[in-house]
Every structure is written in structure tokens, then in C-alpha cells.
Amino acid sequence: MSTTGEVPAFFKSMGSDSPSRPRQKFCGMFCPVEGSSDSKTLDFDALSACRGKSDGRVIDRQTDISQPRKVEIRESTGKEALQNLDNKRSDRLLIKGGKIVNDDQSFCADIYMEDGVIKQIGENLIVPGGVKTIDAGGRMLVPGGIDVHTRFQMPDRGMVSADDFYQGTKAALGGGTTMIIDHVVPEPGVSLISAFEQWREWADSKSCCDYSLHVDITEWHKGIQEDMEALVKDHGVNSFLVYLAYKDVFQLTDAQVYEVFSVIRDLGAIAQVHAENGDIVAEEQQRILEQGITGPEGHVLSRPEEVEAEAVNRSVTVANQTNCPLYVTKVMSKSAADVIAQARKKGTVVYGEPITASLGTDGSHYWSKNWAKAAAYVTSPPLSPDPTTPDYLNSLLSCGDLQVTGSAHCPFNTAQRAVGKDDFSLIPEGVNGAEERMSIIWDKCVVTGKMDENQFVAVTSTNAAKIFNLYPRKGRIAVGSDADLVLWDPDVTKIISAKTHHSTVEYNIFEGTEVRGGPLVVISQGKIVLEEGNLHATEGSGRFVARKPFPDYVYKRIKARSRLAELRGVPRGLYDGPVCEVSVTPKTMTPSSSAKTSPAKQPNQPVRNLHQSGFSLSGAQTDDNIPRRNTQRIVAPPGGRANITSLG
């Protein structure tokens, strides 16, 4: 390069010191610049990622994590303006000196946001006056997290879960999550459309961040199919969940699941499944209660790991037969995760979702002497009692065998859980995790070296955006994407506690856990909602985000498999040989098995005494009521000719 301090012509043309060559509006780092195609010699060491600006200055790294650095946020007083930019009052935000981390790459650049959308990415951006500026100081900027599984304001037998859409989304923002996808759970007899509209009403008035909705299928008939079609076509829904558990309440039969998956595939949606064998669970609950076990430990004892794994395998089988993409929610055990991993290795289009709880703690707490503490961990499928399970699931998440993370955030307070103080099967199910999700994953996966920063972005945001057709509006930092960003400090430490969390419940299942890594600044819809530990959430500011069907990330493979899976019969001649006549005896229908009526408990039917003669002097016989079979003409008698034509 030339003498020290002299800036090459290439860089002079990029900065604001070239008024004769103004930069193009909104082009960011990808704008055409005069001389950019000329051969240049650049000092890449001085310009390498996050090592400073063109003067070669290296940004100091923080070493004392007990004293986290503060983020400087200031109002600009400059009078520069973008060309042709309407200077009416709007939300404008500039982040300088950040390291942008997407799922596929990391690089240093500044980001300019306006009206909730990223407008420019690059260096030395020309911005209007009055813009608020954040000095990132070389820290990471990651896309806002997407929590794909929440159950805020969840109704349950006349109760409602402790966190409504305001408290739940507020807690999510506090942990770096800027979008949630909640579950609509229609009561039996209520249409999917009516339930969906009810959830929209709750969320629109209270949500603090953007949201979308899954819809659960709690029963199956023709009207449900029509509602599903309307939801996909007119209401921006592209995912439906079926239950293999909760017998006599939500559980569907295998035949019904087959039909639902077929409909979902034709609609271009994603089939989700709550995977537990509901029949076995119902029997085990009854058996354990009869043994006098009524506490929270009975919950996990009645739902052994095999029950989850079997249901996952069964749902994978149905998904394969219907060529429907499958998404398994709440992966809680090693066995269930292994089934998903093996299915993916065989080419099945299936995705696995471990949750904050299964990644960050285990089921040993079910045996706590403190009933309230033990009950706080009740969720289905249950947390595994095996203490090595969290590390195992984190490893599978890191290597790609599991792809997405949710929280299944649905906590109930102790008084609500006490409904099941004498019967564990009546304890309302659900745990916290929306606020803790991203820090738990960073601490368990990135700090331990299992995954890098780009994989972290993938499993907390990008993969979910791709699967549910939100990408690249969500899940990526790029020009045109929503301004949902998190300034992430990998070194900050925090001890999780109910005393400091933003949820309303009095107990946190991660109580006392120390995690490294957390958000310093959270930006939602282009507005700063978290800075220096202060949360500024606005009730009702969240927007419903509609999702289109047939996401390419999922359905490219489904369409290819569909072309290969076309069935063809074998051309052959007609058979005109003898046909044996058979009689079909109607099968006697027995009551379906349940906790109250079981075939094993039915009264014994009278048995005929085979030693008693069936002969009567009157000539009547015991089988007189059985109709006689008509005679049949033999087409080809023994030794005759039987012909099968056109075999050759």
C-alpha cells in the first residue's frame, strides 16, 4: 500500500468524504462503486473480520466477565441525509461496529434500520440526522430468536396458564426471542376457525413481539378438514399438530392420523405430532395410582421413555406412507431423539424439536421431597430421569440430528398445580423456558465447543424460519429483513432465578443454574426493547405474521419423493380358473378399552357344554338357526382342466 495514513482510492469512493460521488440509496455494502473492478492491493490483515476499521486498530476483547461492558447508545445530531429520503418522523436506528452472525457466515459491518426493516448493511453508511446510534464494540449481532413452541394463556379445565400473551412475550424478549409461534387448542366441539379467532383476539391485544399460530387437531371429521383448508388459504396457517396421547380427550387413532397427514400434505403444510402412546399411558396411570403412588414421580413412572420413542417411530411410519413432512415437538428422551436421527439418515423428511427444559435440566426433580418443586417440572412427555440426557440432546442438536428449539412455555402456579395434589394425572402440565432458551443453548452447546456461533443462529432462529416459511423476513440479518436483532455478549454470566425472571410464576425449573452468554440489547420491529437490563415491552405491539404453504426448504424433497413414489400395477391377463366360495362371519364388536372399561374386566360369556348331546327326539338340532349354504357348481372338477390365460 502507499504511505502510512493514505487511504486507497477504492475506499475513498465508499465513504462520506466523497460528496462528488454520493452513494446509492439503500445499497449498503453491495452498492456499485467507481473503481471497484480495478486491480487493487489490499491489506487484508488490517481489514479482517472484526479487527477494526481501515486504520488497523484492533478492538479490545473483554476478559473480566464479572464487569460486562456497557453499550453506548446515543442520539445523532448530524445533518446528513440519504438521497431522496423522506425525512418525516420515523424509527431510525444505526448499529456501528458489530459482528453480524447469520447461519452461514459472520462478518463485520454497520446496520441501518428504518420503520422496522433493515435498509443498509455495510461500512461508513450515510444516514439521516436524528438517528439513534448503538456502538456494538465488536460484539455479535444475531437474528432475533424464534420460539417455535409456546402455550401462553393456555386454558385447562377452567384455569389459564400463569403467563398470558403479555407476560409470556415480555419474558421471551428478555431472553433475546423476538418472535413466537403459539398453539391454538380447540376444545372438542369447537371449530378450528372459532378457536383460531379466539387466540388471535388474545394475542393481538397483549403480545409484545411478532407471533404466529399453529393449530392443534383435537378431533377428526369432515368439518375439520374444511376448516384446515380455510386456515391455510385465508388465515396464514401452515402447520397443524396431532396428538397420539391424552386418550379420550385429544388422542387420534392411527387411521385418523393417516387421513390428517394426507390432508396436510395436499395443503402444503407441516404435520406436527405430540408423540406418546396414549393407550399405554392411560393403563400405566391407572396401575400406578392403584399402587398408592399419587405424587409427581407417578407422572414420569407412567410415561417411560419407550412410550415416547414408540410413538415417534409410529408417526414417522405414517409420515413415510403419506409422504408428509413431519415435525416432532418436545423431544425429551434419548430414545426418541435416536428414532428421529435414524429416520433422517434414511431420507425421511422429519424435524426434531428439543425444548429448553430437556436441554437444560433432567427429571430427577420429580422425586424431590418438596411437592411444589416436584410438581413444577410436570410436562408431557416428561423430563428424563437419566441425568445424561440433556448433554446427549445438546450433542444431537449440535450435529444436526435435531434441528429446532422451542420452550413449550406453559407454566402454572403452585395453587393451580395443587389440583393434582392427590392424583398426579390431574396436575396441569407445562414448564417455563421462553426467557432462558437462548442462554441455555449458548452455555450448553457453544461454550462447550459442541457448536459454533453460526449453528447457534440456525437452531435458535434460522431453521425455524425456513421450516415454517418465514425466511428471509425472519431468521436472517439482511437488507429487507425485519429489524429483529440481538446484540449478544458471549461472556456475560447470569444465575437464573425466579427472583429476576420476567415470568409470573413463583418457581423457575432452572433455579440457581449459572449460564454464560446473553443479550445486551434486543431490538424488535426496529425498536430497542432491552438495554442495560431494562425491558421496555409495549403491550399489544406484536403483529400476527401469516405463513404461506409449501415452504421450499421442506417441500422440494417432498415433491421429489412424490414423483418417485408413484405406484404402478403389473400388467397381466385375467384369471378364469376355479374360485373357492368363502363365508364371512361378522366380527362381534366389543367395547373399546379404556381406564373404566377393559376387555379383561368384562363378565365371562356362557360357554356351551360340549359333553351335552345336540340330538333331540323331536328332530330339532342346536344348529338349526344357522342358514344352510347353497350348492355350488364346480367349474373344473378334479382331474378336469383349469386354465390361466396369457401367462406368458
Side-chain angles (χ1 to χ4, degrees):
M1 296 180 66
S2 54
T3 60
T4 304
E6 181 178 350
V7 181
F10 172 59
F11 290 105
K12 285 183 178 179
S13 63
M14 293 181 67
S16 58
D17 58 340
S18 304
S20 60
R21 299 186 185 91
R23 295 191 58 177
Q24 293 187 356
K25 178 182 177 183
F26 300 148
C27 287
M29 65 186 295
F30 303 105
C31 68
V33 180
E34 182 178 349
S36 61
S37 60
D38 298 343
S39 177
K40 304 290 180 182
T41 301
L42 303 179
D43 184 357
F44 285 103
D45 184 64
L47 298 171
S48 60
C50 288
R51 297 192 59 183
K53 303 297 181 183
S54 58
D55 60 1
R57 178 176 60 87
V58 178
I59 299 174
D60 294 332
R61 301 297 299 167
Q62 177 185 359
T63 56
D64 184 6
I65 62 175
S66 64
Q67 298 292 332
R69 297 172 297 179
K70 292 185 178 180
V71 179
E72 182 182 357
I73 303 176
R74 62 183 183 275
E75 297 283 350
S76 173
T77 57
K79 299 184 181 300
E80 294 176 293
L82 289 168
Q83 293 182 355
N84 303 320
L85 180 66
D86 184 2
N87 286 307
K88 66 182 180 180
R89 186 173 183 83
S90 60
D91 295 307
R92 296 168 179 166
L93 189 61
L94 175 68
I95 303 179
K96 296 181 66 67
K99 179 183 179 182
I100 297 174
V101 180
N102 282 318
D103 67 310
D104 56 351
Q105 62 175 335
S106 302
F107 59 94
C108 279
D110 302 338
I111 304 176
Y112 173 68
M113 293 159 274
E114 183 179 343
D115 296 331
V117 178
I118 297 174
K119 297 292 187 179
Q120 293 189 78
I121 297 178
E123 293 188 356
N124 302 317
L125 303 177
I126 300 176
V127 299
V131 67
K132 182 176 289 188
T133 302
I134 299 175
D135 185 3
R139 297 182 184 88
M140 290 185 291
L141 281 165
V142 302
I146 301 175
D147 189 339
V148 288
H149 190 163
T150 63
R151 293 182 182 271
F152 300 144
Q153 210 162 322
M154 173 71 180
D156 185 356
R157 292 168 289 172
M159 301 179 290
V160 179
S161 59
D163 288 334
D164 61 12
F165 275 94
Y166 170 65
Q167 293 292 343
T169 54
K170 181 180 177 181
L173 287 170
T177 291
T178 56
M179 180 175 179
I180 60 100
I181 309 182
D182 204 78
H183 279 265
V184 176
V185 186
E187 291 290 332
V190 177
S191 73
L192 302 188
I193 301 293
S194 298
F196 173 83
E197 291 174 347
Q198 177 65 78
W199 255 257
R200 282 292 309 271
E201 181 181 341
W202 290 338
D204 285 341
S205 62
K206 294 185 177 183
S207 181
C208 303
C209 67
D210 289 349
Y211 75 96
S212 195
L213 295 171
H214 309 293
V215 176
D216 296 0
I217 307 299
T218 56
E219 57 183 337
W220 183 243
H221 52 74
K222 186 66 175 178
I224 297 295
Q225 179 176 341
E226 295 171 354
D227 281 354
M228 292 171 65
E229 295 170 355
L231 286 169
V232 171
K233 181 180 179 181
D234 303 322
H235 297 280
V237 174
N238 70 0
S239 50
F240 300 91
L241 181 139
V242 299
Y243 293 90
L244 301 184
Y246 306 111
K247 185 173 182 178
D248 299 329
V249 183
F250 296 151
Q251 180 179 335
L252 301 185
T253 66
D254 290 349
Q256 290 173 327
V257 172
Y258 186 98
E259 293 181 30
V260 174
F261 280 15
S262 299
V263 172
I264 290 175
R265 176 204 60 216
D266 294 340
L267 293 175
I270 310 297
Q272 298 182 301
V273 62
H274 176 112
E276 290 180 288
N277 189 312
D279 293 316
I280 294 179
V281 169
E283 293 296 327
E284 287 294 289
Q285 285 178 332
Q286 186 68 22
R287 181 179 68 86
I288 291 172
L289 286 170
E290 288 174 354
Q291 293 180 5
I293 300 175
T294 61
E297 69 278 9
H299 178 73
V300 65
L301 292 174
S302 66
R303 289 172 140 89
E305 186 170 314
E306 295 83 358
V307 168
E308 180 187 1
E310 183 279 332
V312 172
N313 185 70
R314 187 154 35 101
S315 61
V316 166
T317 301
V318 178
N320 275 332
Q321 295 304 307
T322 56
N323 194 27
C324 179
L326 180 65
Y327 182 103
V328 182
T329 66
K330 298 180 72 174
V331 178
M332 306 296 280
S333 66
K334 292 180 180 180
S335 301
D338 285 341
V339 172
I340 294 170
Q342 290 299 321
R344 288 179 61 84
K345 287 180 174 63
K346 295 177 181 178
T348 301
V349 183
V350 57
Y351 306 96
E353 170 208 280
I355 63 172
T356 316
S358 63
L359 296 170
T361 187
D362 59 60
S364 60
H365 304 279
Y366 292 122
W367 281 268
S368 171
K369 295 292 186 180
N370 184 331
W371 185 93
K373 175 183 177 180
Y377 290 81
V378 170
T379 187
S380 291
L383 290 161
S384 173
D386 181 354
T388 65
T389 296
D391 185 68
Y392 189 84
L393 295 181
N394 280 301
S395 295
L396 265 59
L397 181 66
S398 300
C399 74
D401 286 340
L402 300 174
Q403 300 74 38
V404 192
T405 55
S407 67
H409 187 101
C410 184
F412 289 85
N413 60 45
T414 302
Q416 292 173 317
R417 293 187 188 270
V419 169
K421 63 184 178 62
D422 299 319
D423 183 346
F424 64 82
S425 66
L426 300 179
I427 299 175
E429 299 174 0
V431 293
N432 63 285
E435 183 173 358
E436 300 81 8
R437 182 179 66 102
M438 294 182 70
S439 290
I440 288 284
I441 295 170
W442 183 272
D443 183 76
K444 301 295 184 182
C445 295
V446 182
V447 172
T448 59
K450 291 179 183 291
M451 68 169 62
D452 60 25
E453 61 198 26
N454 306 102
Q455 291 171 291
F456 171 76
V457 168
V459 301
T460 58
S461 182
T462 307
N463 288 349
K466 291 179 178 179
I467 291 171
F468 294 108
N469 225 2
L470 297 163
Y471 188 85
R473 177 180 174 181
K474 304 288 186 182
R476 189 166 187 84
I477 298 177
V479 174
S481 298
D482 282 358
D484 294 342
L485 302 152
V486 178
L487 185 60
W488 189 266
D489 191 334
D491 297 324
V492 67
T493 59
K494 174 184 178 181
I495 296 178
I496 299 174
S497 173
K499 296 178 180 178
T500 56
H501 71 196
H502 293 92
S503 174
T504 60
V505 289
E506 65 270 46
Y507 192 83
N508 191 307
I509 65 170
F510 307 103
E511 186 73 31
T513 302
E514 184 179 55
V515 291
R516 176 176 295 192
L520 292 180
V521 177
V522 177
I523 299 167
S524 176
Q525 301 177 19
K527 300 179 178 65
I528 299 174
V529 295
L530 175 70
E531 55 178 315
E532 297 183 354
N534 299 316
L535 194 56
H536 314 289
T538 303
E539 187 172 4
S541 62
R543 304 168 297 184
F544 175 75
V545 180
R547 295 172 289 135
K548 294 181 179 179
F550 295 103
D552 280 346
Y553 185 75
V554 176
Y555 268 86
K556 281 184 177 179
R557 294 169 61 196
I558 293 294
K559 292 175 181 177
R561 290 160 59 96
S562 179
R563 288 191 293 268
L564 293 175
E566 292 181 359
L567 302 178
R568 295 181 177 87
V570 177
R572 58 169 63 92
L574 296 176
Y575 172 79
D576 61 357
V579 178
C580 180
E581 182 177 336
V582 296
S583 59
V584 179
T585 304
K587 183 178 179 181
T588 303
M589 301 301 294
T590 58
S592 60
S593 174
S594 68
K596 297 181 180 179
T597 61
S598 172
K601 302 184 177 97
Q602 298 299 317
N604 294 330
Q605 299 297 324
V607 179
R608 178 186 172 188
N609 184 357
L610 298 180
H611 294 282
Q612 182 178 0
S613 173
F615 174 77
S616 173
L617 293 176
S618 65
Q621 301 294 322
T622 58
D623 59 352
D624 283 346
N625 61 323
I626 300 177
R628 301 298 180 181
R629 188 176 67 175
N630 295 330
T631 58
Q632 179 182 6
R633 177 176 177 270
I634 303 300
V635 177
R641 181 179 61 89
N643 180 35
I644 302 177
T645 60
S646 304
L647 292 178

